[in-house]
Amino acid sequence: LVLRTITLFSPIRIFLRLSILLLSVGIIYGLIKALITGLGFSVLSAILIVAGLIIGVLGLIADQISQMRLTNLDIEYRKKRKD
């Protein structure tokens, strides 16, 4: 219930942190694996990086939807208060 409320009103807080976590783990793992083995980035690091990017974009979209929803609620509240 708390997570749902947070994602409804400020989704960027959740999605951005998760995105940064996945991106950083993917980049660090990929660099360490590439430097140790000398074979380049692993598939797991590429999947983590892509997942981090996708979650980051979804967070931005969810934040835009949340802002539009809050704006609509504010407009409706002002209309009711005005009447």
Side-chain angles (χ1 to χ4, degrees), residues 12 15-24 26-27 45-61:
I12 199 73
F15 288 109
L16 187 63
R17 290 178 183 166
L18 183 61
S19 174
I20 290 173
L21 176 71
L22 287 173
L23 281 170
S24 60
I27 290 171
S45 63
I47 290 172
L48 287 172
I49 292 170
V50 170
L53 290 173
I54 290 172
I55 290 175
V57 169
L58 285 176
L60 290 174
I61 292 170

Side-chain angles (χ1 to χ4, degrees), residues 6-13 15-16 55-73:
I6 291 172
T7 55
L8 282 175
F9 291 105
S10 58
I12 199 73
R13 292 169 75 187
F15 288 109
L16 187 63
I55 290 175
V57 169
L58 285 176
L60 290 174
I61 292 170
D63 189 54
Q64 290 296 313
I65 291 171
S66 172
Q67 291 299 320
M68 288 185 341
R69 201 170 142 263
L70 290 174
T71 302
N72 286 340
L73 285 174

Side-chain angles (χ1 to χ4, degrees), residues 24-37 40-42 44-46 48-49:
S24 60
V25 168
I27 290 171
I28 290 170
Y29 178 77
L31 287 174
I32 290 173
K33 200 71 165 171
L35 293 175
I36 290 174
T37 62
F41 270 22
S42 66
L44 177 62
S45 63
L48 287 172
I49 292 170

